[in-house]
Amino acid sequence: MRVPMIAGNWKMNTTVSEAMELVNEIRQELDEIDNVDKVLCPPFVSLAAVKELIKGSSIKLGAQNIYFEQKGAYTGEISPLMLAELCEFVIIGHSERRQYFNETGEIINKKVKAALKVGLKPILCIGESFKENEAGRTEEVITEQLRSALAGIKYPNGSVIAYEPVWAIGTGKAATGEQANKTIGFIRQTIYRKYCTRVAQETRILYGGSVTASNIAEFIQQSEIDGALVGGASLKAGEFLSIVKQTSEIGVFERD
Ligand code: 13P
């Protein structure tokens, strides 16, 4: 049985005080919803303040990136050891990092390993570009992204996968529920082939890309989709609450 998850990726938005304000607006109502995992991923600089604000609640915390060394002379980087004290999850391999910061499959693999080593749960992002989608290469691209990210990992302990087609991110042009369900089903098959039935059944696979309060129901109703990684809409208190509430109402059924 997989508990649905809604994670808010705030990206490079909110100052510390804005982050605190947003958490104060959503904290109580989010806390009252107990059949969905609610994860907030604010910028690094707000993690400690948000952690303090959600203390004692059922809300979970995630970071948006990580470096793969545990400590040392890497000016400006944030290590797994530092994050392990603050949060439970970490987004790895987001398409914006692949695109703007040249993160390769090899780097992403190192990051996933480094996170797992300290007990952080990766939210591993994968997804094809518009061109790749048009060329009918979605499954091929996803297979390669999974292969490289998970190379040498015997058990992806608590990892979550987010299927985020690049063409749907921040464009207002979400995939359809049916499209996302098909690809997420394929991702689950790939996990099954690499690992086993149990890992395939327990791994939560989210959809991400222009998710809003108006389309979340379409995704949550699908049998393979376990929740969403929400960008823009997670910055609006009312909209994010609505996404989590709808997930709570629709999304709790035996998923196996
Ligand atoms: P949007 O929801 O803004 O399209 O962003 C999706 C995303 O990239 C989440 O990680």
Side-chain angles (χ1 to χ4, degrees):
M1 172 114 170
R2 301 187 294 275
V3 178
M5 174 187 287
I6 299 293
N9 175 9
W10 296 3
K11 307 193 180 181
M12 199 178 71
N13 295 292
T14 68
T15 61
V16 178
S17 49
E18 286 166 349
M20 291 170 75
E21 207 173 301
L22 180 52
V23 174
N24 280 327
E25 277 182 75
I26 57 181
R27 179 178 48 186
Q28 193 180 339
E29 280 182 76
L30 273 189
D31 186 33
E32 284 164 5
I33 300 168
D34 58 8
N35 53 8
V36 175
D37 267 354
K38 303 136 296 190
V39 185
L40 304 180
C41 305
F44 284 135
V45 291
S46 296
L47 283 171
V50 172
K51 181 183 163 76
E52 201 51 37
L53 286 179
I54 60 175
K55 205 184 244 172
S57 80
S58 57
I59 304 166
K60 299 177 176 187
L61 197 55
Q64 297 175 18
N65 184 28
I66 193 171
Y67 192 55
F68 51 74
E69 295 292 350
Q70 301 293 345
K71 60 176 166 179
Y74 302 100
T75 302
E77 291 298 323
I78 304 287
S79 90
L81 278 174
M82 297 170 191
L83 291 179
E85 233 180 58
L86 288 169
C87 55
E88 181 176 343
F89 294 94
V90 57
I91 297 172
I92 298 178
H94 193 281
S95 70
E96 287 149 14
R97 297 216 55 91
R98 294 178 193 255
Q99 192 181 339
Y100 306 135
F101 303 98
N102 304 318
E103 287 197 10
T104 60
E106 195 185 331
I107 292 172
I108 290 162
N109 178 242
K110 283 187 185 173
K111 291 186 171 193
V112 172
K113 284 178 176 159
L116 289 171
K117 193 170 174 187
V118 297
L120 280 166
K121 296 172 186 157
I123 301 178
L124 171 65
C125 299
I126 55 175
E128 83 286 3
S129 68
F130 178 72
K131 260 194 183 161
E132 291 161 343
N133 182 281
E134 287 284 286
R137 293 182 52 220
T138 299
E139 294 189 352
E140 175 199 330
V141 169
I142 275 167
T143 303
E144 172 50 26
Q145 287 175 337
L146 282 172
R147 188 205 59 75
S148 57
L150 298 173
I153 294 168
K154 284 205 186 74
Y155 179 61
N157 204 357
S159 296
V160 174
I161 295 172
Y163 168 55
E164 300 206 305
V166 180
W167 46 270
I169 296 176
T171 57
K173 198 173 159 286
T176 65
E178 208 176 311
Q179 275 174 326
N181 196 54
K182 181 166 170 275
T183 306
I184 287 177
F186 175 78
I187 294 169
R188 201 175 301 288
Q189 273 300 313
T190 309
I191 295 293
Y192 163 72
R193 282 197 297 271
K194 177 170 171 70
Y195 295 102
C196 59
T197 308
R198 187 167 70 89
V199 173
Q201 281 178 347
E202 72 189 15
T203 301
R204 285 179 291 186
I205 311 179
L206 316 179
Y207 167 76
S210 298
V211 170
T212 63
S214 319
N215 64 19
I216 183 68
E218 186 183 337
F219 297 108
I220 295 301
Q221 277 155 0
Q222 307 288 334
S223 61
E224 295 288 349
I225 304 179
D226 301 316
L229 182 55
V230 185
S234 70
L235 294 164
K236 300 176 198 149
E239 179 131 17
F240 190 65
L241 283 171
S242 169
I243 290 171
V244 177
K245 278 183 198 157
Q246 291 182 61
T247 304
S248 159
E249 282 154 21
I250 306 166
V252 182
F253 56 86
E254 290 260 334
R255 291 160 181 272
D256 53 22

